[in-house]
């Protein structure tokens, strides 16, 4: 019978890869905690209308990427394509936004029916960060400072660059949209197919078209910058100043408009050149209108989401995976002969008490000296501890380095933890 396989674009994350995932996740968790962000966990499925009303009917996501289905009651449900909508829904539903500020984050799988390719999948994972109730550019700056710290802690250094833009108030965008449509309408036939369609549905998205012909027409098109309202302009100027003082380098990219309806004022992306076309590792912006649009009181909001697959791909591609994220084992404790089994389990237990954070694997299942040492070697551990008849008699243990040519030595069991602690620290 043919074996059943995973769904295209939905990946298994295998045991060799999970240490790197855990490194990225725990680093993010630690950094977010340092800034006082609190974790929130939402369901993976929401009512379809939530996404239609928040992301917007004429966006790529809602038009063609959502996994939407009818459940047994005939309700239209959707696997979440992103986290902001669900986060706002949950925060509103539980009164988290009333007269207060909130700094929230979440992580988990997202689902989009896109063409699978490197850095683009149908189930992928994001860490999302959202901040509610703060109006000024200081919080926009904080989010960008936080992300810069995260790249540092991940060892990414300067491999991600920041692009920012302001897309103004909705009134300003509306006026600009009119001017853009008037201008591009004259050249409709010369636009690429997607852009022709977007001229009627979502003309701002034409600004980030990759088509050379369309790009050429755009050089003389009206500029969003010239239509910005005074408040958005002031907000953007202040943000730039705050970033300058914080020492966060950025470029202003006037073509950056983001694909979702709910953004306004600040938008930003962290981009790398090392992943080809899927170079955006983190994206977000301000969305002051969304809470009200979903039935709540007007609430300032700003946030971003980063794609974990792309971050992990980047660390891998650049060879920046730290040792701790590569190794699944530190010490492998063998037991030679029936009599050694219980003492070896006890010795391993003692090592776990003493060697905080270290991975101690007990050999289970018996076998010859040779086969146990082979398994010790394959485990990735740096040291094998050998317990046999002689060692039991003398309350010692054999200690054998597995990644050098050094020979085996004999250590008193009472000294073993201290000796290993020192050896592993090198
Ligand atoms: P893109 O322009 O690459 O399609 P997007 O604007 O659709 O990205 P967002 O909705 O802003 O992406 O999601 C935030 C981040 O999530 C992206 O910057 C990216 O890192 C990641 N991401 C988005 N879609 C996918 C996907 N299909 N597979 C893997 N990661 C993704
Ligand atoms: Mg997309």
């Amino acid at each position: 019978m043919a074996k059943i396989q995973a769904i295209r674009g939905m990946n298994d994350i295998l045991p060799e890869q999970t240490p790197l995932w855990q490194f990225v996740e725990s680093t993010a968790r630690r950094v977010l905690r340092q800034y006082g962000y609190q974790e929130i966990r939402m369901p993976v499925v929401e009512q379809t209308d939530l996404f239609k009303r928040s992301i917007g009917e004429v966006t790529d996501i809602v038009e063609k990427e959502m996994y939407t289905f009818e459940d047994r009651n005939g309700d239209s449900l959707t696997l979440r394509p992103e986290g902001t909508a669900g986060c706002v829904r949950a925060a509103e539903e539980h009164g988290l936004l009333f007269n207060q500020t909130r700094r929230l984050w979440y992580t988990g799988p997202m689902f989009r029916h896109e063409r699978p390719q490197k850095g683009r999948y149908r189930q992928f994972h994001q860490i999302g960060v959202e901040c509610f109730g703060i109006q000024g550019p200081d919080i926009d700056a904080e989010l960008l400072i936080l992300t810069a710290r995260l790249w540092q802690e991940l060892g990414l250094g300067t491999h991600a660059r920041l692009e920012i833009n302001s897309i103004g108030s909705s009134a300003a965008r509306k006026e600009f949209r009119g001017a853009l449509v008037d201008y591009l309408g004259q050249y409709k036939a010369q636009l690429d197919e997607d852009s022709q369609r977007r001229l009627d549905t979502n003309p701002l998205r034409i600004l980030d078209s990759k088509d050379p012909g369309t790009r050429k027409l755009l050089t003389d098109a009206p500029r969003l910058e010239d239509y910005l309202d005074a408040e958005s302009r002031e907000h953007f100027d202040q943000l730039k100043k705050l970033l300058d003082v914080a020492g966060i380098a950025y470029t202003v990219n006037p073509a950056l408009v983001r694909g979702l309806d709910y953004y306004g004022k600040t938008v930003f992306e962290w981009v790398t050149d090392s992943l080809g076309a899927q170079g955006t590792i983190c994206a977000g912006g301000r969305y002051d209108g969304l809470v009200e649009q979903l039935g709540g009181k007007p609430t300032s909001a700003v946030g971003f989401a980063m794609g974990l697959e792309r971050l992990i791909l980047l660390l891998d591609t650049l060879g920046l995976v730290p040792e701790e994220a590569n190794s699944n084992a530190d010490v492998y404790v063998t037991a030679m002969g029936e009599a050694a089994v219980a003492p070896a389990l006890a010795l391993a237990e003692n090592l776990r008490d003493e060697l905080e954070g270290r991975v101690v694997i007990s050999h289970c299942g018996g076998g010859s000296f040779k086969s146990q040492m082979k398994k010790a070697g394959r485990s990735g551990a740096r040291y094998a501890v050998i317990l046999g008849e002689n060692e039991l008699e003398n309350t010692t243990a054999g200690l054998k380095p597995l990644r050098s040519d050094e020979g085996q030595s004999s250590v008193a069991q009472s000294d073993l933890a201290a000796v290993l602690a020192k050896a592993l620290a090198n």
Side-chain angles (χ1 to χ4, degrees), residues 144-400:
L144 293 167
I145 292 169
L146 179 163
T147 19
R149 178 185 288 271
L150 179 59
W151 308 148
Q152 281 303 321
E153 303 260 317
L154 288 174
L156 275 176
T158 51
H159 288 284
R161 62 168 198 280
L162 175 62
E163 297 188 351
I164 59 175
N165 192 24
S166 176
I167 58 173
S169 66
S170 71
R173 277 197 306 286
K174 198 167 164 200
E175 203 183 321
F176 169 69
R177 198 178 295 132
L180 185 68
V181 170
D182 284 348
Y183 169 81
L184 289 175
Q186 308 170 73
Y187 308 101
K188 186 163 181 183
Q190 296 168 50
L191 292 171
D192 63 279
E193 209 178 302
D194 267 347
S195 297
Q196 288 189 11
R197 190 170 47 84
R198 285 179 175 146
L199 200 54
D200 301 319
T201 57
N202 197 349
L204 257 55
R205 282 310 296 281
I206 298 175
L207 295 184
D208 61 16
S209 163
K210 307 272 185 301
D211 178 80
T214 301
R215 291 233 57 83
K216 192 147 174 264
L217 286 174
L218 284 172
T219 47
D220 292 324
R223 296 177 333 158
L224 178 50
E225 202 189 326
D226 299 328
Y227 288 78
L228 282 193
D229 50 297
E231 193 190 321
S232 297
R233 196 182 299 275
E234 173 69 17
H235 187 102
F236 196 46
D237 285 342
Q238 281 182 31
L239 172 62
K240 286 188 281 189
K241 274 187 202 135
L242 290 170
L243 292 177
D244 289 338
V245 173
I248 309 278
Y250 58 83
T251 52
V252 176
N253 176 359
L256 187 64
V257 290
R258 308 284 306 128
L260 290 66
D261 270 3
Y262 52 58
Y263 288 112
K265 286 188 180 159
T266 312
V267 292
F268 58 83
E269 289 190 357
W270 287 92
V271 186
T272 168
D273 297 320
S274 307
L275 291 181
Q278 272 62 251
T280 304
I281 54 174
C282 174
R286 187 161 271 285
Y287 53 95
D288 296 328
L290 182 60
V291 176
E292 192 180 13
Q293 201 173 307
L294 291 176
K297 289 218 170 71
T299 305
S300 306
V302 56
F304 65 80
M306 55 193 144
L308 294 184
E309 279 79 359
R310 290 187 195 177
L311 267 177
I312 279 160
L313 209 54
L314 183 59
L315 288 168
D316 242 341
T317 307
L318 298 171
L320 294 173
V321 177
E323 175 76 9
E324 63 178 295
N326 247 334
S327 134
N328 279 315
D330 295 302
V331 182
Y332 194 96
V333 181
T334 63
M336 305 301 171
E338 194 56 43
V341 171
L345 287 173
L347 185 62
E349 212 47 35
N350 172 256
L351 293 179
R352 292 184 192 108
D353 286 340
E354 301 293 328
L355 301 175
E356 207 196 309
R358 295 296 182 185
V359 180
V360 179
I361 298 180
S362 288
H363 178 85
C364 291
S368 67
F369 180 81
K370 207 174 146 199
S371 85
Q372 292 198 32
M373 290 310 285
K374 210 174 189 177
K375 288 195 171 126
R378 274 203 217 123
S379 73
R382 287 170 63 193
Y383 291 91
V385 169
I386 298 155
L387 215 56
E389 230 172 275
N390 270 342
E391 287 79 13
L392 287 178
E393 221 162 84
N394 304 321
T395 18
T396 57
L399 184 61
K400 169 95 177 88

Side-chain angles (χ1 to χ4, degrees), residues 36-209:
Y37 284 74
Q38 296 175 299
E39 185 181 2
I40 181 169
R41 303 187 185 193
M42 297 87 66
V44 170
V45 183
E46 299 273 358
Q47 295 196 35
T48 302
D49 274 347
L50 176 69
F51 302 114
K52 286 196 176 165
R53 271 167 62 183
S54 56
I55 298 168
E57 296 266 6
V58 292
T59 55
D60 284 351
I61 293 181
V62 173
E63 274 184 341
K64 50 189 189 197
E65 296 175 358
M66 292 205 302
Y67 280 91
T68 296
F69 60 97
E70 261 187 25
D71 77 354
R72 288 173 190 277
N73 303 329
D75 296 328
S76 180
L77 306 183
T78 295
L79 296 184
R80 63 179 182 196
E82 52 100 59
T84 303
C87 183
V88 169
R89 198 261 320 131
E92 258 303 294
E93 191 168 329
H94 300 284
L96 305 189
L97 304 183
F98 186 71
N99 261 345
Q100 54 199 315
T101 63
R102 283 280 174 184
R103 287 174 163 90
L104 302 175
W105 72 274
Y106 49 82
T107 185
M110 307 292 161
F111 303 84
R112 297 184 194 177
H113 196 276
E114 304 194 71
R115 192 170 69 78
Q117 53 195 293
K118 182 180 154 197
R120 193 177 292 289
Y121 312 100
R122 291 181 173 174
Q123 173 172 334
F124 61 99
H125 299 77
Q126 288 182 337
I127 290 179
V129 179
E130 319 285 357
C131 186
F132 299 100
I134 304 173
Q135 214 177 355
D138 47 358
I139 189 67
D140 304 16
E142 174 179 287
L143 286 176
L144 293 167
I145 292 169
L146 179 163
T147 19
R149 178 185 288 271
L150 179 59
W151 308 148
Q152 281 303 321
E153 303 260 317
L154 288 174
L156 275 176
T158 51
H159 288 284
R161 62 168 198 280
L162 175 62
E163 297 188 351
I164 59 175
N165 192 24
S166 176
I167 58 173
S169 66
S170 71
R173 277 197 306 286
K174 198 167 164 200
E175 203 183 321
F176 169 69
R177 198 178 295 132
L180 185 68
V181 170
D182 284 348
Y183 169 81
L184 289 175
Q186 308 170 73
Y187 308 101
K188 186 163 181 183
Q190 296 168 50
L191 292 171
D192 63 279
E193 209 178 302
D194 267 347
S195 297
Q196 288 189 11
R197 190 170 47 84
R198 285 179 175 146
L199 200 54
D200 301 319
T201 57
N202 197 349
L204 257 55
R205 282 310 296 281
I206 298 175
L207 295 184
D208 61 16
S209 163

Side-chain angles (χ1 to χ4, degrees), residues 1-14:
M1 232 196 319
K3 285 188 181 152
I4 295 174
Q5 297 200 315
I7 295 165
R8 202 164 103 84
M10 303 205 179
N11 300 312
D12 300 306
I13 300 167
L14 299 175

